[in-house]
Amino acid sequence: AKAQRALARVLVDMGRFDQAAATLEELIEKIPTHYAGRLELAVVYQQLERPDAAEHQYRIAIQQAPDQLKGYTQLAALLGSHSKWLEAAEVLSQAVERFPQEPDAWFNLGTAYLFAGRYQESVAALQRAVELNPNDQVAVDQLARAMEASGELSEPEATRQ
């Protein structure tokens, strides 16, 4: 398994994504529960502009390893890259249920809601992210944007944050 993943990484580095996908597909066929290999296959599918295949692999990875945050965040990033922000928020809602103390999960959820135009939900999620990590200036800034978008802050207040 390690050798196949290493070969796939070399093939990716060489820009040979089809061969990398075939190598990782072979690995997943042999070891269907190989979480890291499945995530790498999803990334290769994204490189091949096969978002549906990538999404499928991420969803299987989440089913197989629901206690691993990476699958949720990568699936949400894929969905967001295709402007499917509410779907991304659904995935991230599952993540924060499993990882309620993870500030990045809350930040990502708040950001997905912000891009979806769900400003109140965005503010709530970003407030939680800032509560968990008050030193995260990016989260503080994003919270100010969400509050401004929701009408909770006026423009001058937002720029002072």
Side-chain angles (χ1 to χ4, degrees), residues 131-146:
E131 287 170 13
L132 291 168
N133 186 2
N135 297 321
D136 183 348
Q137 191 58 47
V138 174
V140 171
D141 292 345
Q142 192 79 311
L143 174 58
R145 281 191 280 285

Side-chain angles (χ1 to χ4, degrees), residues 67-86:
D67 59 333
Q68 299 292 318
L69 182 58
K70 190 173 185 178
Y72 298 93
T73 57
Q74 287 187 247
L75 174 56
L78 169 67
L79 294 168
S81 73
H82 293 278
S83 298
K84 296 179 178 180
W85 293 110
L86 285 177

Side-chain angles (χ1 to χ4, degrees), residues 12-158:
V12 165
D13 289 344
M14 295 171 63
R16 295 164 71 180
F17 299 109
D18 285 324
Q19 289 175 303
T23 300
L24 291 166
E25 288 164 352
E26 184 181 304
L27 168 62
I28 297 304
E29 192 173 309
K30 287 182 196 171
I31 310 170
T33 58
H34 199 288
Y35 180 76
R38 194 171 291 281
L39 291 182
E40 289 172 14
L41 178 58
V43 170
V44 171
Y45 283 156
Q46 285 180 257
Q47 294 291 323
L48 289 168
E49 297 183 13
R50 295 178 56 194
D52 292 342
E55 180 179 344
H56 179 71
Q57 292 304 318
Y58 286 132
R59 291 191 185 278
I60 292 172
I62 290 168
Q63 286 175 343
Q64 291 178 339
D67 59 333
Q68 299 292 318
L69 182 58
K70 190 173 185 178
Y72 298 93
T73 57
Q74 287 187 247
L75 174 56
L78 169 67
L79 294 168
S81 73
H82 293 278
S83 298
K84 296 179 178 180
W85 293 110
L86 285 177
E87 287 181 56
E90 289 173 20
V91 170
L92 292 164
S93 290
Q94 294 170 16
V96 298
E97 285 176 26
R98 284 206 171 266
F99 308 96
Q101 300 302 313
E102 178 54 57
D104 289 343
W106 286 101
F107 174 82
N108 292 336
L109 176 60
T111 299
Y113 277 137
L114 180 62
F115 285 121
R118 304 282 290 269
Y119 303 124
Q120 296 299 324
E121 292 98 328
S122 176
V123 167
L126 290 166
Q127 282 175 332
R128 183 68 181 133
V130 171
E131 287 170 13
L132 291 168
N133 186 2
N135 297 321
D136 183 348
Q137 191 58 47
V138 174
V140 171
D141 292 345
Q142 192 79 311
L143 174 58
R145 281 191 280 285
M147 291 177 79
E148 182 182 344
S150 73
E152 291 184 36
L153 276 184
S154 64
E155 176 67 35
E157 288 176 294

